Amino acid sequence: MSDPYVNIKIENGVGTIEFFHPAHNSLPGDVLSKLAQTITEAGAQDDIKVIVLKSGRDRTFCAGASFKELINIDDAETGKIFFSGFANVINAMRKCPKFVIGRIQGKTVGGGVGLAAATDYCMATKYASIKLSELNVGIGPFVVGPAIERKIGLSAMTQIAIDANSFYDAEWARDKGLFTKVFEDIETLDAEVKAFAAHLCTYNPEAMKDMKKVFWEGTEHWDTLLADRAVISGRLALSGFTKETLKRFM
Protein backbone atom coordinates (compact mmCIF):
# COMPACT_ATOMS: atom_id res chain seq x y z
CA MET A 1 0.00 0.00 0.00
CA SER A 2 1.23 3.51 -0.81
CA ASP A 3 2.00 6.02 1.89
CA PRO A 4 -0.22 9.10 2.26
CA TYR A 5 1.01 12.20 0.49
CA VAL A 6 0.28 15.69 -0.74
CA ASN A 7 2.32 16.87 -3.70
CA ILE A 8 2.28 19.60 -6.30
CA LYS A 9 3.37 19.56 -9.93
CA ILE A 10 3.81 22.84 -11.80
CA GLU A 11 3.61 22.83 -15.59
CA ASN A 12 2.97 25.75 -17.94
CA GLY A 13 1.41 27.89 -15.23
CA VAL A 14 -0.84 25.15 -13.83
CA GLY A 15 -0.16 23.93 -10.30
CA THR A 16 -1.72 20.48 -9.86
CA ILE A 17 -2.10 19.57 -6.20
CA GLU A 18 -2.73 15.89 -5.53
CA PHE A 19 -3.55 14.27 -2.18
CA PHE A 20 -3.75 10.60 -1.35
CA HIS A 21 -4.46 8.24 1.52
CA PRO A 22 -4.76 4.46 1.11
CA ALA A 23 -8.01 4.35 3.13
CA HIS A 24 -10.16 5.53 0.20
CA ASN A 25 -8.60 8.98 0.43
CA SER A 26 -10.03 9.56 3.89
CA LEU A 27 -7.84 12.28 5.30
CA PRO A 28 -6.17 12.43 8.73
CA GLY A 29 -5.15 15.70 10.33
CA ASP A 30 -1.57 15.74 9.08
CA VAL A 31 -2.62 15.29 5.45
CA LEU A 32 -5.29 17.98 5.77
CA SER A 33 -2.75 20.35 7.33
CA LYS A 34 -0.30 19.70 4.50
CA LEU A 35 -3.05 20.18 1.92
CA ALA A 36 -4.06 23.55 3.37
CA GLN A 37 -0.44 24.65 3.49
CA THR A 38 0.21 23.55 -0.10
CA ILE A 39 -2.82 25.45 -1.40
CA THR A 40 -1.75 28.59 0.47
CA GLU A 41 1.80 28.37 -0.83
CA ALA A 42 0.63 27.73 -4.40
CA GLY A 43 -1.54 30.81 -4.22
CA ALA A 44 1.56 32.89 -3.48
CA GLN A 45 3.73 31.49 -6.28
CA ASP A 46 4.17 33.72 -9.31
CA ASP A 47 4.76 30.77 -11.65
CA ILE A 48 1.31 29.35 -10.86
CA LYS A 49 -1.67 30.98 -12.55
CA VAL A 50 -4.31 28.30 -11.94
CA ILE A 51 -4.58 25.44 -9.43
CA VAL A 52 -6.04 21.99 -10.09
CA LEU A 53 -7.09 19.95 -7.04
CA LYS A 54 -7.23 16.17 -7.45
CA SER A 55 -6.79 12.98 -5.46
CA GLY A 56 -4.70 9.93 -6.17
CA ARG A 57 -5.84 6.64 -7.69
CA ASP A 58 -8.88 6.13 -9.87
CA ARG A 59 -11.72 5.40 -7.48
CA THR A 60 -12.85 7.44 -4.46
CA PHE A 61 -12.09 11.16 -4.65
CA CYS A 62 -12.33 11.60 -0.88
CA ALA A 63 -14.07 9.53 1.79
CA GLY A 64 -14.04 12.40 4.27
CA ALA A 65 -12.06 12.60 7.49
CA SER A 66 -10.07 9.78 9.03
CA PHE A 67 -12.37 7.35 10.84
CA LYS A 68 -9.45 6.14 12.93
CA GLU A 69 -8.85 9.63 14.29
CA LEU A 70 -12.57 10.24 14.80
CA ILE A 71 -13.03 7.24 17.08
CA ASN A 72 -10.04 8.32 19.18
CA ILE A 73 -11.42 11.75 20.07
CA ASP A 74 -11.64 11.86 23.86
CA ASP A 75 -11.87 15.56 24.76
CA ALA A 76 -13.38 18.75 23.35
CA GLU A 77 -10.08 20.34 22.32
CA THR A 78 -9.02 17.27 20.35
CA GLY A 79 -12.43 17.26 18.71
CA LYS A 80 -12.13 20.90 17.69
CA ILE A 81 -8.68 20.32 16.22
CA PHE A 82 -9.87 17.24 14.33
CA PHE A 83 -12.86 18.96 12.75
CA SER A 84 -10.81 22.06 11.97
CA GLY A 85 -8.85 20.03 9.42
CA PHE A 86 -11.35 20.42 6.60
CA ALA A 87 -12.17 23.95 7.78
CA ASN A 88 -8.56 24.97 7.21
CA VAL A 89 -8.49 23.49 3.71
CA ILE A 90 -11.77 25.17 2.76
CA ASN A 91 -10.52 28.50 4.07
CA ALA A 92 -7.23 28.05 2.21
CA MET A 93 -9.14 27.60 -1.05
CA ARG A 94 -11.44 30.49 -0.22
CA LYS A 95 -8.55 32.88 0.40
CA CYS A 96 -6.33 31.60 -2.40
CA PRO A 97 -6.00 34.36 -5.05
CA LYS A 98 -5.90 31.78 -7.87
CA PHE A 99 -8.84 29.89 -9.32
CA VAL A 100 -9.00 26.34 -7.93
CA ILE A 101 -10.32 23.78 -10.42
CA GLY A 102 -11.71 20.56 -8.95
CA ARG A 103 -11.12 17.20 -10.65
CA ILE A 104 -13.49 14.64 -9.10
CA GLN A 105 -12.97 11.14 -10.48
CA GLY A 106 -15.12 9.09 -8.12
CA LYS A 107 -17.33 8.96 -5.05
CA THR A 108 -16.95 11.66 -2.45
CA VAL A 109 -18.30 11.62 1.09
CA GLY A 110 -18.63 14.11 3.94
CA GLY A 111 -15.64 16.41 4.02
CA GLY A 112 -14.84 15.44 0.45
CA VAL A 113 -18.07 17.06 -0.69
CA GLY A 114 -16.93 20.18 1.14
CA LEU A 115 -13.65 20.16 -0.78
CA ALA A 116 -15.48 19.88 -4.10
CA ALA A 117 -17.82 22.70 -3.09
CA ALA A 118 -14.94 24.98 -2.13
CA THR A 119 -13.32 24.79 -5.56
CA ASP A 120 -14.15 27.58 -7.98
CA TYR A 121 -14.97 25.33 -10.93
CA CYS A 122 -15.48 21.61 -10.54
CA MET A 123 -15.59 18.83 -13.16
CA ALA A 124 -16.31 15.16 -12.54
CA THR A 125 -16.94 11.74 -14.01
CA LYS A 126 -20.32 10.03 -13.97
CA TYR A 127 -19.00 7.88 -11.12
CA ALA A 128 -18.63 10.89 -8.81
CA SER A 129 -21.68 10.38 -6.63
CA ILE A 130 -21.83 12.34 -3.37
CA LYS A 131 -23.02 11.67 0.16
CA LEU A 132 -23.19 13.51 3.46
CA SER A 133 -23.12 10.65 5.94
CA GLU A 134 -22.40 12.55 9.15
CA LEU A 135 -25.82 12.12 10.76
CA ASN A 136 -25.31 8.36 10.53
CA VAL A 137 -22.62 8.54 13.20
CA GLY A 138 -24.27 11.13 15.42
CA ILE A 139 -22.65 14.32 14.18
CA GLY A 140 -23.51 16.55 11.20
CA PRO A 141 -21.88 18.33 8.24
CA PHE A 142 -21.42 21.48 10.26
CA VAL A 143 -17.93 22.47 9.09
CA VAL A 144 -18.41 21.76 5.39
CA GLY A 145 -22.01 22.95 5.37
CA PRO A 146 -21.34 26.62 4.54
CA ALA A 147 -19.27 25.72 1.48
CA ILE A 148 -21.84 23.21 0.25
CA GLU A 149 -24.80 25.51 0.91
CA ARG A 150 -23.02 28.35 -0.91
CA LYS A 151 -22.61 26.15 -3.98
CA ILE A 152 -25.88 24.18 -4.21
CA GLY A 153 -28.30 26.19 -2.04
CA LEU A 154 -29.99 25.52 1.29
CA SER A 155 -32.71 23.23 -0.10
CA ALA A 156 -30.33 20.80 -1.78
CA MET A 157 -27.94 20.94 1.16
CA THR A 158 -30.82 20.11 3.52
CA GLN A 159 -31.81 17.16 1.35
CA ILE A 160 -28.46 15.42 1.31
CA ALA A 161 -27.66 16.26 4.94
CA ILE A 162 -30.90 14.70 6.21
CA ASP A 163 -30.85 11.77 3.78
CA ALA A 164 -27.53 10.62 5.18
CA ASN A 165 -27.85 7.04 3.90
CA SER A 166 -28.05 7.87 0.21
CA PHE A 167 -25.56 8.61 -2.51
CA TYR A 168 -26.67 11.24 -5.02
CA ASP A 169 -25.36 10.72 -8.51
CA ALA A 170 -23.10 13.04 -10.45
CA GLU A 171 -25.92 14.32 -12.64
CA TRP A 172 -27.85 15.40 -9.56
CA ALA A 173 -24.74 17.20 -8.34
CA ARG A 174 -24.33 18.87 -11.74
CA ASP A 175 -27.97 19.96 -11.82
CA LYS A 176 -27.59 21.52 -8.37
CA GLY A 177 -24.41 23.39 -9.36
CA LEU A 178 -21.74 21.42 -7.52
CA PHE A 179 -20.26 20.09 -10.75
CA THR A 180 -20.06 22.16 -13.92
CA LYS A 181 -19.59 19.21 -16.28
CA VAL A 182 -19.81 15.42 -15.99
CA PHE A 183 -17.83 13.10 -18.26
CA GLU A 184 -18.04 9.42 -19.15
CA ASP A 185 -14.58 8.42 -17.95
CA ILE A 186 -11.41 9.62 -16.25
CA GLU A 187 -9.49 9.96 -19.48
CA THR A 188 -12.00 12.43 -20.87
CA LEU A 189 -12.16 14.26 -17.54
CA ASP A 190 -8.38 14.66 -17.42
CA ALA A 191 -8.22 15.90 -21.00
CA GLU A 192 -10.93 18.47 -20.35
CA VAL A 193 -9.39 19.64 -17.06
CA LYS A 194 -6.01 20.03 -18.73
CA ALA A 195 -7.44 21.99 -21.66
CA PHE A 196 -9.57 24.20 -19.44
CA ALA A 197 -6.74 25.00 -17.05
CA ALA A 198 -4.45 25.80 -19.97
CA HIS A 199 -7.05 28.19 -21.38
CA LEU A 200 -7.43 29.94 -18.03
CA CYS A 201 -3.69 30.56 -18.06
CA THR A 202 -4.23 32.86 -21.06
CA TYR A 203 -6.42 35.18 -18.98
CA ASN A 204 -5.18 38.28 -17.17
CA PRO A 205 -3.99 37.08 -13.72
CA GLU A 206 -5.10 40.35 -12.11
CA ALA A 207 -8.59 39.97 -13.55
CA MET A 208 -8.84 36.41 -12.22
CA LYS A 209 -7.60 37.54 -8.81
CA ASP A 210 -10.23 40.28 -8.65
CA MET A 211 -12.97 37.92 -9.85
CA LYS A 212 -12.00 35.43 -7.16
CA LYS A 213 -12.58 38.15 -4.54
CA VAL A 214 -16.00 38.89 -6.03
CA PHE A 215 -17.00 35.22 -6.11
CA TRP A 216 -16.25 34.84 -2.40
CA GLU A 217 -17.73 38.11 -1.16
CA GLY A 218 -19.70 37.62 2.04
CA THR A 219 -17.52 34.80 3.37
CA GLU A 220 -14.99 36.96 5.18
CA HIS A 221 -16.27 35.66 8.52
CA TRP A 222 -15.63 32.01 7.69
CA ASP A 223 -12.43 31.75 9.75
CA THR A 224 -14.59 32.27 12.83
CA LEU A 225 -17.69 30.51 11.50
CA LEU A 226 -15.94 27.27 10.57
CA ALA A 227 -13.99 27.26 13.84
CA ASP A 228 -17.28 27.57 15.74
CA ARG A 229 -18.74 24.75 13.65
CA ALA A 230 -15.71 22.58 14.51
CA VAL A 231 -16.51 23.10 18.19
CA ILE A 232 -20.07 21.84 17.63
CA SER A 233 -18.85 18.74 15.80
CA GLY A 234 -16.22 18.09 18.45
CA ARG A 235 -18.83 18.25 21.19
CA LEU A 236 -21.13 15.86 19.36
CA ALA A 237 -18.26 13.43 18.76
CA LEU A 238 -18.04 13.03 22.54
CA SER A 239 -21.75 12.32 23.00
CA GLY A 240 -22.90 8.93 24.20
CA PHE A 241 -24.92 8.44 21.03
CA THR A 242 -21.92 8.99 18.78
CA LYS A 243 -19.58 6.87 20.88
CA GLU A 244 -22.02 3.93 20.82
CA THR A 245 -22.59 4.32 17.09
CA LEU A 246 -18.86 4.37 16.38
CA LYS A 247 -18.44 1.17 18.37
CA ARG A 248 -20.90 -0.55 16.02
CA PHE A 249 -18.97 0.71 12.99
CA MET A 250 -15.78 -0.67 14.52
Side-chain angles (χ1 to χ4, degrees):
M1 297 178 70
S2 299
D3 293 329
Y5 64 78
V6 175
N7 60 39
I8 182 167
K9 177 182 178 182
I10 305 170
E11 186 175 1
N12 299 322
V14 179
T16 300
I17 298 173
E18 180 175 310
F19 62 86
F20 171 75
H21 193 281
H24 303 287
N25 286 325
S26 60
L27 303 181
D30 58 343
V31 174
L32 287 167
S33 178
K34 179 64 174 176
L35 182 56
Q37 178 186 352
T38 303
I39 292 168
T40 299
E41 291 174 351
Q45 289 185 229
D46 292 337
D47 57 339
I48 296 176
K49 296 182 178 179
V50 176
I51 295 170
V52 172
L53 180 67
K54 62 180 293 189
S55 63
R57 303 292 173 87
D58 59 358
R59 299 192 63 119
T60 307
F61 169 70
C62 178
S66 167
F67 187 79
K68 182 179 180 180
E69 288 189 353
L70 174 60
I71 62 178
N72 286 324
I73 293 174
D74 57 6
D75 61 77
E77 183 61 24
T78 301
K80 178 184 176 181
I81 293 171
F82 172 80
F83 288 103
S84 292
F86 275 97
N88 293 336
V89 178
I90 289 171
N91 278 322
M93 284 195 275
R94 174 178 67 86
K95 291 184 277 190
C96 178
K98 316 289 174 63
F99 288 154
V100 180
I101 310 305
R103 178 262 198 194
I104 316 298
Q105 82 279 15
K107 288 182 177 180
T108 186
V109 179
V113 183
L115 296 186
T119 64
D120 299 298
Y121 195 99
C122 197
M123 293 185 273
T125 71
K126 65 182 181 181
Y127 305 106
S129 53
I130 66 171
K131 180 181 183 181
L132 291 182
S133 59
E134 286 87 345
L135 279 176
N136 275 321
V137 294
I139 53 178
F142 295 104
V143 170
V144 299
I148 298 170
E149 181 182 338
R150 170 183 171 271
K151 188 60 69 75
I152 69 175
L154 179 58
S155 178
M157 161 67 184
T158 301
Q159 181 177 345
I160 60 175
I162 292 176
D163 187 11
N165 286 318
S166 299
F167 274 100
Y168 286 75
D169 65 28
E171 289 296 335
W172 185 93
R174 182 187 61 80
D175 290 343
K176 300 302 182 184
L178 180 63
F179 301 148
T180 56
K181 297 179 181 179
V182 174
F183 302 99
E184 286 293 312
D185 50 54
I186 293 176
E187 292 75 18
T188 306
L189 170 66
D190 284 339
E192 292 290 336
V193 169
K194 182 177 180 179
F196 186 69
H199 181 68
L200 289 182
C201 287
T202 68
Y203 291 169
N204 181 350
E206 289 300 313
M208 290 192 288
K209 181 178 179 180
D210 288 339
M211 283 305 305
K212 176 86 181 221
K213 292 178 181 178
V214 170
F215 292 153
W216 286 90
E217 280 181 354
T219 65
E220 294 81 5
H221 63 299
W222 277 22
D223 282 334
T224 300
L225 174 64
L226 300 193
D228 291 344
R229 295 290 186 86
V231 171
I232 296 172
S233 294
R235 171 175 54 80
L236 290 171
L238 295 172
S239 70
F241 183 98
T242 300
K243 289 296 186 184
E244 288 301 314
T245 302
L246 291 174
K247 287 180 183 178
R248 295 199 297 271
F249 276 95
M250 292 170 63

